[in-house]
Amino acid sequence: MAVISVVVLLLAAFHHGDGTLRFASYYGDHMVLQKSPQRAVLWGYGPEGEQVTVYLTGPFPQKVSSLPVTEGIWRVTLEPVDAGGPYNVQADSESSKCKLTDVLFGDIWLCGGQSNMYFKTSQIFNASEELALSSKYPHVRPFMASLNMSKTERIDLIQVEIPWSVATTSVLAEFSAVCWLFGRYMYDTLKYPIGLVESCWGGTPVEAWSSSRALMQCGLQQSGDGSMMDNTVLWNAMIHPFLNMTIYGAIWYQGEANAEYHKDKYNCSFPAMINDWRMAFHQGSGQQTALDFPFGFVQLSTYKNNSTDDGFPDIRWHQTADVGFVPNSRMKNTFMAVALDLPDKTSPYGTIHPRDKQDVALRLTLGTRAVAYGETDIPFQGPFPKQILPFQMSIIITYDQAVSVTSSKDMFEICCSEKNVSCEPKSFWIPAAIVDWNQTSIQLFAAQCPVSKVAALRYAWRDWPCEFKACPVYDASGNLPAPPFITNRYTGNQNIWKST
């Protein structure tokens, strides 16, 4: 078995091995196990040396035996099971039994991040209407880990906040809105069970959710003052325990905390975390979780209106590994929901917590269908420039798709330079108004800067770029906003710049 699997199970014995036959903490009645073609992993604790046999009873019964319990741990990998249920899962040893009931097979999605992922369904716009729908989705099952930290990697959760449950109003009121809405929307498409595992904590940086391996790739060292800002403490307690579980994919909403903490490292630390999670889940599940499992995330929304701080714009860019869109060569099999056009000035939870999570989840769902499930002809990305042409007193931007445009005086900005050097966010930028457009192109007025001196162009490079769904550039349907970008004529992605 892979190294991570072995280490994980030995650690489990140390923390939980009291000889009682039972399942690990995140297995329970009403749970969802990963469906075929992947194989679900079951494990738990038991009397030393006894063999554990697992019986799956339901539409397609199975019987699987483990090796003798070693260091207090048993583990089995089921044969592939098609979506559906319900099943009962019973584990028998020579001296005792334990059982799970009402188990479904479907796709498992892990939901991680900070406070906007933690944001409860009871807090969103139209919460009462959403909560009332819970009874219509008995096959979308939530689970939530408790908020805990650890200085060392844990095999099992320290505590469970919400055990696996059939969705009810009271359960969903305390559950992640983005996670639930994502699962509900995906169920409407897939028509088979969805398991949602919430493991997130408000105010936390990406470093807390990363292993020491991932941090080392970005030159980040261990830190420790006993807080949730410490490197690895949430990876240890709230992600590492799930490695033995077979999952289908993950969604993520985080980055606000990094707007002021290791901001310039985020273009490394975020992709490194994704890749490390993939490797660890693949090995921990005995190669059942895909090595490149799909990973979706929400690009930061808004915080401070009229702010000139570059924290949020910089993080939005770094969330894409400084490419501007995903998937890309550094972030394969990923998808992104752009959210900079969904501000909420009157949110009682603070402007950093917009209440419209429905549009966020819907945009994530589009990316999931296209990237994670291979649906074709599903628009999931907003327009992105494929060519920039300085021409006379203007700049002509040609996009990679048809666009829906409204006028703007200052959403686009240019940077002038007497020398062929790159511009940075802190350079001097001049507004470039939209003066004309057609189906795929936008013309900007750039008379303040001679064509030969235009060194860079950026779009929506501010904390709060527009009001609700009122940014100037969307796809042809008007539903998917263009993501922010910054491009230099002489460095980076200069290949999109053309000369007359």
Side-chain angles (χ1 to χ4, degrees), residues 238-307:
M238 297 179 67
I239 298 299
H240 191 271
F242 290 113
L243 296 189
N244 288 330
M245 174 183 276
T246 309
I247 66 170
Y248 190 86
I251 58 172
W252 175 261
Y253 196 158
Q254 189 275 336
E256 298 91 343
N258 285 100
E260 297 179 352
Y261 182 74
H262 293 164
K263 178 184 70 173
D264 295 336
K265 292 283 190 179
Y266 203 85
N267 59 355
C268 178
S269 57
F270 182 42
M273 186 204 77
I274 294 172
N275 291 335
D276 186 72
W277 279 25
R278 285 170 165 169
M279 179 275 294
F281 273 92
H282 180 68
Q283 292 189 7
S285 64
Q287 291 75 53
Q288 294 308 308
T289 298
L291 184 57
D292 64 344
F293 69 75
F295 192 104
F297 62 94
V298 183
Q299 193 177 47
L300 289 190
S301 185
T302 56
Y303 182 21
K304 297 177 181 178
N305 199 4
N306 300 316
S307 172

Side-chain angles (χ1 to χ4, degrees), residues 188-260:
D188 286 339
T189 296
L190 298 173
K191 305 298 184 183
Y192 60 70
I194 301 291
L196 301 171
V197 177
E198 177 185 346
S199 188
C200 52
W201 194 334
T204 53
V206 71
E207 292 82 0
W209 299 99
S210 302
S211 74
S212 56
R213 291 183 307 272
L215 295 173
M216 288 174 61
Q217 295 177 36
C218 303
L220 292 165
Q221 304 300 317
Q222 284 292 105
S223 66
D225 61 5
S227 77
M228 61 188 181
M229 299 291 285
D230 288 358
N231 293 351
T232 76
V233 293
L234 303 182
W235 157 263
N236 292 339
M238 297 179 67
I239 298 299
H240 191 271
F242 290 113
L243 296 189
N244 288 330
M245 174 183 276
T246 309
I247 66 170
Y248 190 86
I251 58 172
W252 175 261
Y253 196 158
Q254 189 275 336
E256 298 91 343
N258 285 100
E260 297 179 352

Side-chain angles (χ1 to χ4, degrees), residues 170-188:
S170 59
V171 167
L172 292 187
E174 300 299 313
F175 191 72
S176 163
V178 170
C179 191
W180 166 254
L181 290 163
F182 170 82
R184 181 168 80 75
Y185 296 163
M186 286 310 304
Y187 179 84
D188 286 339

Side-chain angles (χ1 to χ4, degrees), residues 299 338 340 381-384 399 459-460 471 473-475 480-485:
Q299 193 177 47
V338 178
L340 82 176
Q381 295 169 308
F384 200 80
Y399 282 88
Y459 170 74
C471 281
V473 187
Y474 286 80
D475 70 341
L480 294 174
F485 69 82

Side-chain angles (χ1 to χ4, degrees), residues 166-494:
V166 177
T168 64
T169 297
S170 59
V171 167
L172 292 187
E174 300 299 313
F175 191 72
S176 163
V178 170
C179 191
W180 166 254
L181 290 163
F182 170 82
R184 181 168 80 75
Y185 296 163
M186 286 310 304
Y187 179 84
D188 286 339
T189 296
L190 298 173
K191 305 298 184 183
Y192 60 70
I194 301 291
L196 301 171
V197 177
E198 177 185 346
S199 188
C200 52
W201 194 334
T204 53
V206 71
E207 292 82 0
W209 299 99
S210 302
S211 74
S212 56
R213 291 183 307 272
L215 295 173
M216 288 174 61
Q217 295 177 36
C218 303
L220 292 165
Q221 304 300 317
Q222 284 292 105
S223 66
D225 61 5
S227 77
M228 61 188 181
M229 299 291 285
D230 288 358
N231 293 351
T232 76
V233 293
L234 303 182
W235 157 263
N236 292 339
M238 297 179 67
I239 298 299
H240 191 271
F242 290 113
L243 296 189
N244 288 330
M245 174 183 276
T246 309
I247 66 170
Y248 190 86
I251 58 172
W252 175 261
Y253 196 158
Q254 189 275 336
E256 298 91 343
N258 285 100
E260 297 179 352
Y261 182 74
H262 293 164
K263 178 184 70 173
D264 295 336
K265 292 283 190 179
Y266 203 85
N267 59 355
C268 178
S269 57
F270 182 42
M273 186 204 77
I274 294 172
N275 291 335
D276 186 72
W277 279 25
R278 285 170 165 169
M279 179 275 294
F281 273 92
H282 180 68
Q283 292 189 7
S285 64
Q287 291 75 53
Q288 294 308 308
T289 298
L291 184 57
D292 64 344
F293 69 75
F295 192 104
F297 62 94
V298 183
Q299 193 177 47
L300 289 190
S301 185
T302 56
Y303 182 21
K304 297 177 181 178
N305 199 4
N306 300 316
S307 172
T308 58
D309 184 81
D310 286 320
F312 270 44
D314 286 349
I315 289 295
R316 290 187 190 116
W317 185 243
H318 294 336
Q319 284 178 299
T320 68
D322 297 354
V323 174
F325 59 86
V326 298
N328 60 55
S329 60
R330 285 190 59 199
M331 301 181 69
K332 297 178 180 179
N333 212 31
T334 61
F335 51 95
M336 175 177 76
V338 178
L340 82 176
D341 68 329
L342 303 175
D344 186 357
K345 283 183 178 178
T346 59
S347 173
Y349 311 103
T351 53
I352 202 170
H353 299 126
R355 288 168 288 176
D356 177 16
K357 300 301 193 235
Q358 290 91 335
D359 280 299
V360 169
L362 180 59
R363 292 172 184 179
L364 275 174
T365 302
L366 295 175
T368 309
R369 292 171 61 184
V371 174
Y373 291 95
E375 283 194 51
T376 57
D377 301 321
I378 295 290
F380 71 100
Q381 295 169 308
F384 200 80
K386 70 175 183 180
Q387 178 178 294
I388 298 171
L389 176 66
F391 179 71
Q392 295 180 355
M393 292 188 297
S394 64
I395 296 174
I396 300 172
I397 307 168
T398 302
Y399 282 88
D400 59 1
Q401 60 181 279
V403 292
S404 173
V405 182
T406 55
S407 62
S408 170
K409 294 181 179 180
D410 59 2
M411 193 64 71
F412 288 95
E413 297 171 290
I414 57 175
C415 176
C416 306
S417 177
E418 294 293 330
K419 301 178 182 179
N420 295 348
V421 297
S422 63
C423 295
E424 305 297 333
K426 292 298 185 183
S427 300
F428 181 67
W429 294 83
I430 304 170
I434 298 174
V435 293
D436 198 9
W437 61 85
N438 59 28
Q439 186 177 11
T440 58
S441 299
I442 294 175
Q443 182 179 357
L444 306 177
F445 181 69
Q448 306 99 315
C449 187
V451 167
S452 62
K453 304 302 181 185
V454 174
L457 173 69
R458 68 183 187 182
Y459 170 74
W461 205 269
R462 59 189 69 170
D463 181 321
W464 193 300
C466 63
E467 294 308 315
F468 187 76
K469 294 187 178 180
C471 281
V473 187
Y474 286 80
D475 70 341
S477 71
N479 294 321
L480 294 174
F485 69 82
I486 184 170
T487 176
N488 274 280
R489 193 173 185 174
Y490 305 110
T491 59
N493 54 350
Q494 74 271 26

Side-chain angles (χ1 to χ4, degrees), residues 41-73:
V41 177
L42 293 164
W43 72 274
Y45 312 99
E48 190 68 20
E50 293 189 11
Q51 188 175 62
V52 175
T53 300
V54 172
Y55 298 89
L56 184 69
T57 58
F60 298 97
Q62 282 190 37
K63 174 184 176 182
V64 184
S65 295
S66 75
L67 295 173
V69 175
T70 304
E71 302 288 344
I73 298 296

